[in-house]
């Protein structure tokens, strides 16, 4: 079943709930700020009208660089209602990463928090396209526009809401094996189709739900479920600024919340904390939802057994507007499997020649459907490669049982997934190689009991150079987001490569594993 009534322009969705239940709480955050549906409708209209009046046209890019907050949601809805494209940027992104995204997207405007305003002002001098800066978190900026003041403005609150749900509405950057982040072009239709095909009919998301979300909103998973999903059905949500085991545990005990999405790392920490404290039950939660990384079968079983609440696992990627598969509640599940393909989606597991493999055999998962991205911004070659013959080639290895349940078994691509966040090895390598003492480098992911994987950099120093590991890590911290900084630096004599120069990462992983076990 697909809830086609949920696939509508964001302006229409927010008007629907704003008119029907204007006083209902829509979103609240850790700062104490909140928005009812009536306020979200009127304030997003005011901000959207301002953007249009100041020259933001259909298809223009507007970045959001804010913490998880009602301001984040307000900005996203307003940008969509202005017909522009949201470009989410992490609060933890390094300056080089922020510059690349703003420049690659050609952003004309950005909505940014006060704490990051100095950074944006520096970059603005280098980015002539960036002509408008809107500040959140201050009612009285000296020479900038305040999001709060714009939201309350009554100068003109009737934006020209776009009706085309198939136009690009979101540009979400994701790490790739080439090292440079790729801007994934997604439409309201592709994102809301996932809401209509999975979150509403399978997870049962509905208007009476109160969602507890610790997920970062700049990720496609949270953007889809925790912004569009909640908005589409008219639910209520509490946005945590970031995940905290202690705070989540406290809130789960309140009995207020009915759904909580997360990544496997979060559920591991919650289980360990609950075991330590003896708090073996949560109140009111109907389901926990997991995506973003592989959920180990043992963790899934232990979590459900301890809390007595279903933990539904799914598989998704940014290029498919998040979800491809999801486990249905109330049915026999194969632990370790990420479930069945969503309605309306075609999924195949193929060999290197593109032929379907038998049940139980491993191959690459490829998918086709209305949730697949429009392509990568400014990267026609990469787009053509992954969308070959009309199918999105995920680069993930999988197998399927006779009942169609899919299990992800590995990756053709070299991404490191740390706590649900993707890290391109080449991006880490570029940062390490920029240190003057480093001759060669290869980054690999190694197993971690809580985070799934963490990056490790194998480093060859230049002749005569002496530098310690912490100095290299500190150098990387100036160039990379904190989660991308190598967990450890391993000094080696040489980097194993193929005859064509490609890094043989499996040899490095094997050597590191052998050293750890020895």
């Amino acid at each position: 079943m697909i809830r086609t009534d949920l696939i509508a322009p964001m302006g229409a969705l927010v008007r629907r709930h704003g008119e029907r239940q204007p006083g209902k709480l829509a979103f609240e955050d850790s700062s104490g700020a909140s928005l009812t549906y009536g306020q979200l409708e009127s304030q997003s209209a005011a901000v959207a009208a301002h953007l249009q009046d100041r020259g933001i046209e259909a298809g223009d890019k507007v970045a959001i660089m804010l913490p998880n907050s009602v301001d984040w949601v307000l900005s996203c809805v307003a940008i969509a209602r202005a017909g522009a494209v949201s470009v989410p940027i992490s609060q933890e992104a390094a300056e080089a990463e922020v510059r690349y995204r703003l420049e690659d997207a050609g952003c004309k405007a950005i909505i940014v928090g006060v704490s990051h305003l100095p950074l944006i002002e520096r970059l603005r001098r280098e980015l002539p396209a960036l002509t408008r800066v809107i500040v959140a978190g201050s009612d009285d900026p000296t020479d900038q526009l305040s999001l709060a003041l714009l939201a309350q403005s009554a100068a003109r609150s009737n934006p020209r809401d776009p009706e085309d749900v198939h136009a690009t509405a979101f540009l979400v950057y994701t790490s790739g094996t080439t090292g440079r982040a790729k801007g994934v072009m997604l439409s309201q239709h592709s994102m809301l189709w996932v809401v209509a095909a999975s979150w509403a009919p399978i997870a049962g998301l509905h208007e009476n739900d109160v969602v507890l979300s610790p997920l970062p909103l700049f990720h496609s998973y949270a953007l889809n479920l925790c912004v569009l999903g909640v908005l589409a059905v008219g639910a209520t949500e509490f946005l945590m600024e970031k995940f905290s085991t202690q705070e989540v545990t406290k809130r789960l005990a309140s009995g207020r919340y009915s759904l909580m999405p997360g990544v496997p790392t979060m559920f591991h920490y919650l289980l360990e904390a609950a075991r330590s404290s003896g708090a073996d039950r949560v109140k009111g939660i109907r389901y926990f939802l997991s995506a973003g990384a592989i959920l180990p079968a043992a963790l899934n079983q232990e979590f459900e057994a301890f809390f007595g609440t279903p933990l539904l696992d799914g598989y998704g990627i940014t290029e498919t507007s998040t979800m491809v598969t999801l486990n249905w509640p109330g049915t026999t599940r194969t632990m370790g499997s990420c479930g069945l393909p969503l309605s309306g989606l075609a999924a195949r597991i193929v060999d290197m020649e593109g032929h379907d493999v038998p049940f139980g055999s491993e191959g690459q998962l490829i998918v086709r459907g209305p949730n697949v991205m429009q392509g990568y911004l400014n990267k026609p070659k990469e787009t053509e490669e992954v969308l070959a013959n009309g199918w999105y080639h995920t680069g993930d290895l999988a197998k399927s049982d006779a009942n169609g349940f899919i299990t992800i078994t590995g990756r053709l691509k070299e991404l490191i997934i740390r706590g649900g966040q993707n890290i391109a090895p080449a991006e880490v390598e570029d940062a390490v190689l920029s240190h003057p003492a480093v001759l060669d480098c290869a980054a690999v992911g190694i197993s971690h009991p809580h985070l799934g994987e963490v990056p490790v950099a194998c480093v060859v120093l230049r002749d005569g150079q002496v530098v310690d590991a912490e100095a290299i890590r500190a150098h990387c911290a100036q160039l990379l987001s904190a989660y991308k900084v190598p967990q450890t630096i391993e000094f080696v004599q040489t980097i194993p490569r193929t005859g064509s120069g490609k890094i043989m990462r499996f040899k490095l992983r094997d050597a590191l594993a052998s050293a750890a076990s020895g």
Side-chain angles (χ1 to χ4, degrees):
M1 174 182 175
I2 298 178
R3 288 280 308 277
T4 55
D5 59 304
L6 302 181
I7 303 176
M10 290 174 68
L13 291 173
V14 75
R15 283 196 305 274
R16 177 189 302 175
H17 301 302
E19 293 171 359
R20 189 168 65 87
Q21 46 189 4
K24 182 181 179 181
L25 180 63
F27 298 90
E28 59 179 331
D29 63 30
S30 300
S31 75
S34 64
L35 283 173
T36 65
Y37 275 102
Q39 291 169 328
L40 180 59
E41 197 286 321
S42 62
Q43 293 183 25
S44 65
V47 176
H50 167 82
L51 291 172
Q52 291 176 333
D53 286 345
R54 298 305 186 275
I56 299 298
E57 300 177 349
D60 284 345
K61 314 299 192 302
V62 180
I64 305 173
M65 191 173 179
L66 298 171
N68 280 8
S69 59
V70 295
D71 281 344
W72 204 108
V73 176
L74 171 62
S75 300
C76 183
V77 176
I79 292 167
R81 297 188 70 178
V85 178
S86 291
V87 183
I89 299 178
S90 167
Q91 285 275 101
E92 298 180 353
E95 182 169 338
E97 296 172 315
V98 177
R99 180 190 296 108
Y100 169 72
R101 284 157 175 73
L102 293 174
E103 185 173 31
D104 184 63
C107 291
K108 285 190 175 181
I110 184 170
I111 304 175
V112 64
V114 173
S115 62
H116 285 84
L117 186 57
L119 166 64
I120 298 305
E121 285 303 303
R122 287 199 305 274
L123 294 178
R124 193 177 183 182
R125 292 191 287 269
E126 307 171 21
L127 302 169
L130 187 62
T131 58
R132 204 136 199 92
V133 176
I134 298 174
V135 182
S138 172
D139 292 339
D140 188 28
T142 57
D143 61 346
Q144 304 295 331
L145 289 167
S146 163
L147 179 66
L149 294 178
L150 289 178
Q152 300 299 330
S153 171
R156 183 173 77 79
S157 57
N158 295 307
R160 300 180 295 277
D161 278 317
E163 296 297 325
D164 184 7
V165 294
H166 294 279
T168 301
F170 310 99
L171 185 65
V172 183
Y173 278 85
T174 183
S175 296
T177 56
T178 60
R180 274 297 194 182
K182 297 190 289 290
V184 179
M185 297 184 291
L186 303 170
S187 68
Q188 292 183 51
H189 182 270
S190 68
M191 293 286 275
L192 287 166
W193 183 88
V194 171
V195 173
S198 64
W199 304 131
I202 300 177
L205 181 66
H206 57 74
E207 65 177 358
N208 294 327
D209 275 320
V210 180
V211 179
L212 175 62
S213 175
L215 295 170
L217 294 180
F218 66 88
H219 276 190
S220 58
Y221 174 21
L223 172 60
N224 189 289
L225 172 55
C226 304
V227 179
L228 277 78
V230 170
L231 175 63
V233 301
T236 297
E237 181 169 65
F238 182 86
L239 295 161
M240 296 179 62
E241 184 170 349
K242 57 180 61 177
F243 175 78
S244 160
T245 303
Q246 183 177 6
E247 184 181 353
V248 169
T249 300
K250 179 180 177 180
R251 289 188 174 279
L252 290 177
S254 71
R256 181 189 179 199
Y257 305 97
S258 54
L259 285 174
M260 182 190 135
V263 298
T265 303
M266 295 176 183
F267 297 116
H268 172 86
Y269 286 138
L270 288 174
L271 179 60
E272 291 303 305
R275 281 173 168 165
S276 299
S277 66
D280 61 350
R281 289 295 180 268
V282 294
K283 298 179 181 178
I285 291 287
R286 190 169 72 255
Y287 304 119
F288 292 94
L289 301 169
S290 179
I294 295 174
L295 179 68
L299 173 59
N300 200 338
Q301 291 173 317
E302 291 170 12
F303 190 94
E304 291 190 350
F306 191 87
F307 288 109
T309 305
L311 171 56
L312 302 180
D313 185 25
Y315 163 80
I317 35 189
T318 302
E319 286 88 341
T320 58
S321 304
T322 64
M323 304 312 293
V324 174
T325 67
L326 190 64
N327 275 294
W328 287 73
T331 60
T332 301
R333 288 181 283 148
T334 301
M335 285 297 174
S337 164
C338 53
L340 298 168
L342 305 183
S343 298
L345 174 69
R348 297 167 56 202
I349 299 175
V350 299
D351 59 23
M352 296 301 290
E353 286 73 42
H355 302 127
D356 294 288
V357 301
F359 292 127
S361 296
E362 187 178 72
Q364 181 182 187
L365 178 64
I366 63 175
V367 298
R368 185 173 65 190
N371 59 330
V372 172
M373 68 171 181
Q374 296 166 326
Y376 297 123
L377 181 71
N378 302 327
K379 297 188 185 305
K381 181 180 178 182
E382 290 89 338
T383 299
E384 184 178 1
E385 288 174 351
V386 300
L387 295 180
N389 301 315
W391 292 81
Y392 172 66
H393 291 63
T394 67
D396 288 318
L397 297 172
K399 60 183 179 181
S400 172
D401 65 17
N403 295 317
F405 283 87
I406 291 174
T407 299
I408 304 299
T409 58
R411 289 191 301 280
L412 286 172
K413 50 193 178 182
E414 296 287 355
L415 285 181
I416 301 164
I417 302 182
R418 180 190 185 276
Q421 300 194 89
N422 293 345
I423 305 170
E427 194 172 15
V428 178
E429 290 155 6
D430 285 346
V432 175
L433 287 167
S434 68
H435 191 288
V438 174
L439 175 65
D440 201 3
C441 172
V444 297
I446 62 169
S447 178
H448 187 278
H450 305 327
L451 298 170
E453 288 181 314
V454 292
V456 171
C458 298
V459 173
V460 179
L461 294 178
R462 297 182 185 277
D463 287 342
Q465 294 292 318
V466 178
V467 64
D468 63 26
E470 283 307 306
I472 295 178
R473 292 186 75 252
H475 175 76
C476 291
Q478 300 298 314
L479 302 171
L480 299 169
S481 299
Y483 71 90
K484 298 178 184 177
V485 174
Q487 181 91 351
T488 58
I489 304 293
E490 298 290 337
F491 293 103
V492 297
Q493 294 299 313
T494 185
I495 302 296
R497 297 178 184 272
T498 66
S500 62
K502 293 182 179 179
I503 297 170
M504 301 171 74
R505 299 184 197 276
F506 70 95
K507 288 194 173 184
L508 290 171
R509 281 192 291 266
D510 290 346
L512 291 171
S514 178
S517 62

